[in-house]
Amino acid sequence: MSFLTSVNSISWLIGGPQGSGVDSAANIFAKTCAKEGFHIFGKREFYSNIKGEHSYFTIRISDKPVNSHLEEINVLVSFDAETLFRHADKVSAGGMIIYDSSLVETVLEEVPTIDFEASNRIRKLLQDSGQSMNLNGMLEFAKSRGCRVYGLPYFEMLETVAQKMNDPKLSKISRVVNVMAISASISLLGIKKDKLINAIQEVFGSKPKLLASNIEAAEYAYSYIGTKYDTKNITYNLTPKDALKDYLLLSGSQAAAIGKIVAGCRFQTYYPITPASDESEFLESNQIIDQVDGKSGSIVVVQTEDEIAAITMAIGASLTGVRTATATSGPGFSLMAEALGWAGMNEVPLVVTMYQRAGPSTGLPTRHEQSDLLFAINAGHGEFPKIVLASGNIEESFYDAIKAFNFAEIFQLPVIHLLDKAISSSIQTCKRFSNDLKIERGEFKNTIDKNQSEGAAGHFQRFKLDDSPISTRVPIGTENAIFWNTGDEHTEEGHISEDPENRNKMMDKRMKKLDLALEKINQDDMAICHDFDSDGKNVVVSWGSTKGAILEALEKLSEEGNKMKFVQIRLLHPFPTETVKNFLKEAKLVIDVEMNYTSQLGSLVQQNTGREVDYKIVKYNGRPISTTELYIALKAILSGNNERRIVLDGGT
Amino acid sequence: MAELKLADYKTTVHNDWCPGCGDFGILNAIQMALSEMQIPRHKAVIFSGIGCSGKTPHFINVYGIHTLHGRVLPFAQGAKIANPDLEIIAVGGDGDGLGIGAGHFVGAGRKNVDIPYLIFNNAVYGLTKGQASPTLRLGEKTKSLVTPNTSNSVNPIALALVSGFTFIARSYSYDVKHLKDTIKRAITHKGLAFVDVLQPCPTYDDIHTREWYQGIDKQETGKAMPRIYKIEETGYDGTIKDESEINEKMTRILQFSSEWGDKIPVGIFYQNELIPSYHERIAENNKEYFAKPPSHQEISDNKNNPIAKIDKILDKLQIKD
């Protein structure tokens, strides 16, 4: 089974020790291919480690948009032994492997960063295939499966590059090995060298010395392949496409950050945590903001002493009228729960961008999961309104970031924007973002007429009990509008009240916002039924970053005559019951797909619509769901699989 | 504008503190300071934590934000960073600020945001019925403790000093004039100011009572010998005028901070405006920060279109063939 839906499509992987330039090499490769006109989807995997552990970056390139990764690899690029040991068995027949020819004698046991469990699996693989326990064995195994291998003597090549540059200090340029490796792969793939050189210039343009050595290395490795190997019969000879006009190549954390800038978020707090910090750092790097009126604005980003300070500082700032957010991941979000209730109680608009990772506790801190859905919905003691919105990919992260602020201000409550590690650290080619969304601030006012201060003691009524649950909101510091906030139940002015009648009225006021949200929020922001018009009777339900793999798996199934619908639920709280009911109305089978153990969305669907989920496809090994494994699982269900719950386990 | 009278800073909200509570003196002192400084009511915001002291904002007729247990400092800092034009005062109890909120106390010291922070220090958790607070000393047994205190106390003055507070003072809730003057100095100080307010809890602290502070039990000379003395009256000046004075001054402040029992110093131990405030630090990278802080930023035009222009950012990420 192959997902090479066109000739011009490959799955490419580079691996290496953390800190050795795997990421930057992958970025250069992705840029090169994008310049050539290919769509990109790239996925990063890395350990919770600074230097030395195995990290890798998978990139799919295609002449059609790509939304997910595959299990299979067509081109494996390496400059260390571990990458080969860990990934060579995934390279498809006809695939290509680039490796360091000086490492072939490396014995499996000698690689200290291959953990015991992985080592055992690799040993068994080599044993079963009758190969020796070294890299040579791994290469032989790959060749026996039809892979082609391309050894590069990196050390000698570095020496040559050093000579060419008249710089005898090899150590200085040893870091260019990563670029030599990708350059070799680009040469093998028949992609023109000038795109690669352009990409290197973009990445290292501001550092002349690095630029020079990287270009020299790239040029040399590119031509080395041509002189050393016969490249005529390469399976994956990619044909250039027309240029991608007005396309971006970016990560989810960048998309969300740019969305915040457009949304007018001008204050963000954070405490360092993977995978959320990237967003705050991007915002800080772009703290001075261009404006259409020619003036400039700015965002203040504050690193706090912990996540409790992050959210409470954000709430304090929000009281001054500024659009405010904090960004975190599961462990930090756990600490924020109490303050979330305070924001709900005091009707303070606030956006919490929650980048999920694998829990519980520290869990797999750099790996992916979607296990905080029910926690996000239920976070905080007591009952208060909040909105939980989940984006399905990088592009949605941008637009949803803007919507999150609108919802927060229109309904005056905390909004949790659920993203995850897969979205945050993946890269994708997206149509250039438009900023034609409106800024909707609801009942926010900057000035108050003296006569409007009409409370019991002539005070402004911040929590006025009226037909609408939404009251006029002003920044603290506004004349004629002095009010109080308290975590206690309170009066219309904001003073503590334990009166039972007042309690009911205030609870009703706050909780009614959830009904209002379901009335006002656009259908497409609640749930989307992909292929709604198809005659498919089987429906996949899911949320968040599984979207890419689901759409691709469904496309493949559809080509084979198995039409299915996909209901992507975007508004998780308040739950869009009517919309989802409508989408599931005629479903024969409902299949829930999620990156968690307990099928959290499945329970929500059941609880709210009364419709049982027939099949659950789950995954919790920390590695995102691939198109490949999802396709296989769905196919199994359609062919009458008896298992009601399928656990996926793909990934390295 | 008409002159604001003391009464203008008072609300009609029923005050449910115990009769004789030291908090009343602090409340009066804050209201007097605001009134004497003629701070426009809508420009002032009192942030508080949780506990008896947490109710303070409800009694003051300015903006009042009664936050969460231990979190008053981050709430208040967020507001002040977002809008430095506001006159923000943070208040809280000793359990609030030095127990559950101690991490924020230290964190705030490192930032030096321009706000005064008053701790109503009475050595007990009053509202939860008299448990030992972080300032109750080891072995002391206040009225409702089952056994003498098994934890040692934190030294608020020393902690403020090593955390980086740039103004450190102590006052006494029954000396309202001294307290009011200290609060005024704390408000005017450029940077983070800490005022440790000794405040007897008449209900649960039967050791550090008003009479104890007055020295009624110390009659060696024939009359009560008050425990509290004013450091200014000893000729001490806590202002740092030159960085070379800091080490010597810090040693002296640590000495003051460990004085307790028969002699308890009050007054301004430390004031150092040579250290840039957090706002000034922001302005180093964001030149327009004081003119256009976050709260003053415009984000949309009159048709509700976003006014941020992201072309430069997108251009960098755009694929160029």
Side-chain angles (χ1 to χ4, degrees):
Chain A
M1 191 268 321
S2 168
F3 279 90
L4 300 178
T5 44
S6 73
V7 180
N8 286 325
S9 170
I10 58 156
S11 170
W12 176 99
L13 185 150
I14 186 171
Q18 206 131 287
S20 65
V22 170
D23 270 19
S24 45
N27 273 311
I28 294 169
F29 177 79
K31 269 179 189 273
T32 305
C33 296
K35 284 173 183 297
E36 196 79 346
F38 289 105
H39 290 271
I40 303 291
F41 180 86
K43 178 182 81 88
R44 278 175 77 203
E45 287 291 349
F46 50 98
Y47 274 81
S48 178
N49 155 265
I50 295 176
K51 274 194 176 147
E53 294 287 346
H54 178 64
S55 72
Y56 66 98
F57 208 129
T58 318
I59 292 176
R60 260 180 91 195
I61 70 173
S62 172
D63 55 1
K64 305 197 307 180
V66 263
N67 302 300
S68 178
H69 68 287
L70 304 176
E71 293 301 317
E72 66 205 83
I73 304 161
N74 308 121
V75 181
L76 174 60
V77 180
S78 70
F79 45 89
D80 69 346
E82 180 165 3
T83 301
L84 237 58
F85 278 125
R86 285 188 183 266
H87 301 279
D89 63 312
K90 311 279 190 331
V91 181
S92 58
M96 304 187 283
I97 296 175
I98 292 168
Y99 67 99
D100 185 341
S101 53
S102 71
L103 296 177
V104 288
E105 301 300 327
T106 309
V107 177
L108 175 63
E109 265 70 27
E110 282 171 4
V111 184
T113 44
I114 300 185
D115 48 284
F116 184 70
E117 293 81 3
S119 185
N120 276 348
R121 279 195 300 274
I122 298 164
R123 189 182 309 108
K124 185 165 186 310
L125 184 86
L126 290 172
Q127 262 163 6
D128 292 354
S129 52
Q131 302 294 347
S132 54
M133 292 298 135
N134 59 16
L135 206 60
N136 209 28
M138 204 68 194
L139 286 165
E140 287 304 318
F141 172 64
K143 281 200 269 186
S144 73
R145 296 173 46 255
C147 301
R148 276 174 282 189
V149 301
Y150 302 88
L152 296 180
Y154 286 116
F155 187 78
E156 289 156 36
M157 290 169 76
L158 275 175
E159 282 182 326
T160 311
V161 172
Q163 276 166 14
K164 280 170 181 272
M165 295 191 68
N166 294 322
D167 190 345
K169 289 191 207 91
L170 253 185
S171 62
K172 264 191 177 171
I173 59 159
S174 63
R175 292 188 59 86
V176 300
V177 165
N178 59 348
V179 168
M180 291 207 287
I182 59 158
S183 179
S185 77
I186 287 168
S187 178
L188 281 171
L189 289 168
I191 296 172
K192 285 197 294 293
K193 192 172 66 181
D194 57 329
K195 303 287 182 193
L196 168 64
I197 302 301
N198 289 349
I200 294 174
Q201 279 163 342
E202 273 179 35
V203 172
F204 295 110
S206 58
K207 297 162 188 159
K209 275 191 180 161
L210 275 177
L211 178 65
S213 56
N214 276 286
I215 288 184
E216 194 68 54
E219 300 255 15
Y220 181 57
Y222 193 94
S223 55
Y224 185 91
I225 287 286
T227 53
K228 190 88 195 286
Y229 292 101
D230 176 15
T231 55
K232 286 197 185 73
N233 297 314
I234 302 293
T235 327
Y236 314 109
N237 215 336
L238 300 166
T239 325
K241 295 284 294 180
D242 294 337
L244 293 174
K245 278 267 171 270
D246 289 327
Y247 268 84
L248 309 168
L249 177 63
L250 80 173
S251 71
S253 57
Q254 289 172 329
I258 301 167
K260 284 182 170 179
I261 292 171
V262 174
C265 173
R266 295 295 175 263
F267 191 89
Q268 165 136 328
T269 57
Y270 80 105
Y271 181 79
I273 191 167
T274 305
S277 309
D278 290 349
E279 188 203 275
S280 297
E281 281 153 28
F282 185 89
L283 284 174
E284 196 174 353
S285 309
N286 291 282
Q287 61 178 293
I288 306 301
I289 295 163
D290 290 344
Q291 289 181 185
V292 290
D293 57 7
K295 297 176 192 162
S296 65
S298 63
I299 175 165
V300 171
V301 179
V302 182
Q303 182 186 330
T304 57
E305 62 271 23
D306 58 33
E307 284 93 348
I308 298 175
I311 188 169
T312 51
M313 200 178 275
I315 296 170
S318 178
L319 292 172
T320 71
V322 60
R323 283 193 158 188
T324 300
T326 185
T328 190
S329 184
F333 188 70
S334 291
L335 293 183
M336 293 182 177
E338 187 192 15
L340 213 53
W342 195 94
M345 185 64 149
N346 288 286
E347 312 195 24
V348 182
L350 174 75
V351 172
V352 181
T353 312
M354 220 293 250
Y355 289 91
Q356 298 166 94
R357 68 186 209 192
S361 190
T362 311
L364 302 167
T366 60
R367 310 290 178 176
H368 172 61
E369 203 165 81
Q370 297 178 293
S371 52
D372 297 327
L373 172 59
L374 294 181
F375 177 48
I377 289 172
N378 295 303
H381 58 281
E383 296 163 304
F384 60 93
K386 63 168 97 68
I387 284 175
V388 180
L389 180 71
S391 301
N393 58 26
I394 292 173
E395 190 177 24
E396 280 180 37
S397 307
F398 168 80
Y399 293 102
D400 289 346
I402 304 168
K403 290 170 187 172
F405 285 93
N406 284 346
F407 294 163
E409 283 204 295
I410 292 170
F411 305 109
Q412 301 184 10
L413 41 64
V415 174
I416 298 157
H417 184 194
L418 280 178
L419 297 170
D420 55 45
K421 187 263 167 182
I423 289 180
S424 164
S425 62
S426 294
I427 56 169
Q428 194 174 11
T429 38
C430 304
K431 200 89 188 116
R432 188 175 167 111
F433 300 144
S434 77
N435 56 348
D436 57 3
L437 265 77
K438 296 284 181 189
I439 303 280
E440 297 173 63
R441 309 203 65 179
E443 297 301 315
F444 178 71
K445 289 195 172 58
N446 266 312
T447 52
I448 289 293
D449 189 64
K450 206 170 168 56
N451 302 328
Q452 235 180 299
S453 305
E454 56 191 8
H459 284 301
F460 175 72
Q461 292 173 309
R462 169 68 188 92
F463 307 105
K464 192 171 168 60
L465 294 166
D466 219 331
D467 295 339
S468 165
I470 312 295
S471 321
T472 303
R473 183 174 69 90
V474 298
I476 51 173
T478 308
E479 216 169 343
N480 305 318
I482 286 171
F483 64 79
W484 288 265
N485 278 169
T486 170
D488 288 66
E489 188 55 271
H490 44 255
T491 62
E492 291 174 297
E493 292 156 9
H495 286 308
I496 299 169
S497 166
E498 298 192 14
D499 181 77
E501 258 181 51
N502 177 73
R503 163 68 173 182
N504 275 2
K505 286 178 186 161
M506 284 297 170
M507 279 296 285
D508 292 346
K509 172 191 197 303
R510 289 189 296 268
M511 297 307 284
K512 270 184 192 161
K513 293 180 187 181
L514 294 176
D515 302 330
L516 193 67
L518 288 174
E519 267 172 47
K520 299 249 165 145
I521 292 176
N522 287 335
Q523 170 102 3
D524 280 357
D525 291 330
M526 297 209 249
I528 297 173
C529 187
H530 300 270
D531 295 320
F532 184 64
D533 296 328
S534 90
D535 50 7
K537 291 281 181 238
N538 298 327
V539 181
V540 170
V541 292
S542 191
W543 63 287
S545 62
T546 51
K547 177 180 177 175
I550 293 171
L551 288 178
E552 289 194 352
L554 260 51
E555 190 186 340
K556 177 98 179 151
L557 286 166
S558 170
E559 284 167 10
E560 296 168 2
N562 286 312
K563 284 199 168 66
M564 292 177 86
K565 291 175 186 173
F566 165 39
V567 175
Q568 179 201 356
I569 303 182
R570 288 170 33 75
L571 181 69
L572 281 315
H573 186 79
F575 194 84
T577 304
E578 293 313 313
T579 308
V580 175
K581 261 188 181 168
N582 184 42
F583 287 154
L584 298 184
K585 192 163 60 186
E586 285 166 19
K588 205 173 105 208
L589 291 183
V590 176
I591 305 163
D592 176 39
V593 177
E594 292 181 70
M595 270 294 300
N596 58 51
Y597 186 93
T598 51
S599 302
Q600 300 186 12
L601 178 71
S603 348
L604 274 184
V605 169
Q606 262 170 256
Q607 177 191 326
N608 287 287
T609 66
R611 174 64 159 92
E612 292 245 351
V613 167
D614 302 296
Y615 287 90
K616 293 169 178 176
I617 299 176
V618 293
K619 190 176 185 186
Y620 39 84
N621 71 354
R623 277 66 174 174
I625 294 177
S626 72
T627 299
T628 320
E629 59 183 338
L630 183 61
Y631 166 82
I632 294 168
L634 289 171
K635 185 104 177 159
I637 290 171
L638 294 176
S639 3
N641 181 307
N642 290 326
E643 304 269 337
R644 291 278 154 176
R645 180 171 180 267
I646 300 175
V647 181
L648 305 179
D649 59 4
T652 304
Chain B
M1 198 136 100
E3 193 185 328
L4 286 155
K5 294 188 276 297
L6 180 59
D8 294 328
Y9 292 91
K10 298 183 175 182
T11 65
T12 54
V13 173
H14 166 66
N15 191 321
D16 61 356
W17 287 333
C18 304
C21 178
D23 285 355
F24 286 105
I26 307 175
L27 174 62
N28 288 338
I30 296 171
Q31 287 162 333
M32 286 161 73
L34 291 170
S35 154
E36 285 183 18
M37 295 174 81
Q38 286 292 295
I39 295 173
R41 294 197 302 113
H42 69 277
K43 284 282 180 199
V45 194
I46 314 286
F47 279 77
S48 68
I50 291 291
C52 293
S53 61
K55 296 178 180 176
T56 306
H58 297 284
F59 310 131
I60 304 177
N61 197 2
V62 302
Y63 280 97
I65 311 294
H66 180 185
T67 72
L68 291 167
H69 197 29
R71 317 301 169 204
V72 59
L73 278 175
F75 270 98
Q77 289 173 98
K80 185 73 179 188
I81 296 169
N83 186 359
D85 297 346
L86 296 172
E87 203 55 77
I88 285 172
I89 300 174
V91 303
D94 41 302
D96 193 86
L98 301 166
I100 188 169
H104 305 309
F105 189 86
V106 175
R110 292 169 46 220
K111 288 204 156 47
N112 199 31
V113 172
D114 186 16
I115 47 176
Y117 175 42
L118 277 56
I119 282 189
F120 297 17
N121 182 355
N122 61 12
V124 291
Y125 284 85
L127 202 53
T128 50
K129 309 215 182 303
Q131 297 84 352
S133 95
T135 54
L136 188 69
R137 278 154 181 78
L138 177 66
E140 286 184 331
K141 185 184 172 306
T142 46
K143 199 153 77 187
S144 63
L145 293 193
V146 179
T147 54
N149 190 14
T150 49
S151 294
N152 213 334
S153 56
V154 69
N155 178 331
I157 304 295
L159 186 61
L161 187 68
V162 297
S163 301
F165 281 71
T166 50
F167 177 103
I168 301 167
R170 181 189 277 152
S171 189
Y172 177 52
S173 67
Y174 285 109
D175 188 344
V176 177
K177 185 180 176 302
H178 182 266
L179 177 55
K180 178 258 298 173
D181 289 339
T182 310
I183 292 170
K184 281 167 72 177
R185 287 281 302 273
I187 292 173
T188 348
H189 171 71
K190 185 206 79 186
L192 181 64
F194 170 53
V195 185
D196 180 27
V197 189
L198 303 174
Q199 173 256 318
C201 173
T203 305
Y204 291 110
D205 187 355
D206 51 355
I207 301 173
H208 315 98
T209 59
R210 187 176 188 168
E211 292 72 22
W212 182 81
Y213 281 111
Q214 284 168 341
I216 304 289
D217 57 320
K218 295 200 306 165
Q219 298 279 357
E220 294 88 348
T221 57
K223 60 173 183 148
M225 290 283 289
R227 286 185 154 81
I228 287 172
Y229 75 98
K230 297 188 169 103
I231 54 173
E232 287 87 350
E233 289 174 4
T234 68
Y236 178 81
D237 178 4
T239 318
I240 303 283
K241 297 174 192 80
D242 187 279
E243 278 174 20
S244 62
E245 304 167 32
I246 292 178
N247 281 349
E248 198 188 328
K249 198 76 83 183
M250 281 181 124
T251 312
R252 184 71 194 97
I253 297 163
L254 288 176
Q255 283 170 350
F256 278 134
S257 79
S258 58
E259 286 180 26
W260 189 253
D262 287 349
K263 277 177 82 67
I264 301 170
V266 298
I268 295 165
F269 300 112
Y270 181 61
Q271 182 168 19
N272 184 353
E273 293 191 330
L274 302 176
I275 294 171
S277 71
Y278 194 70
H279 314 274
E280 290 166 329
R281 298 173 202 173
I282 294 173
E284 275 179 33
N285 299 312
N286 177 356
K287 303 289 174 216
E288 288 187 283
Y289 167 73
F290 283 108
K292 273 202 301 187
S295 67
H296 295 22
Q297 297 268 323
E298 285 188 32
I299 61 169
S300 54
D301 63 16
N302 53 13
K303 287 182 183 136
N304 299 330
N305 297 307
I307 60 169
K309 202 164 175 266
I310 51 171
D311 294 354
K312 271 190 212 158
I313 300 174
L314 295 186
D315 288 350
K316 272 192 210 161
L317 299 165
Q318 180 141 338
I319 295 153
K320 299 160 200 80
D321 56 344

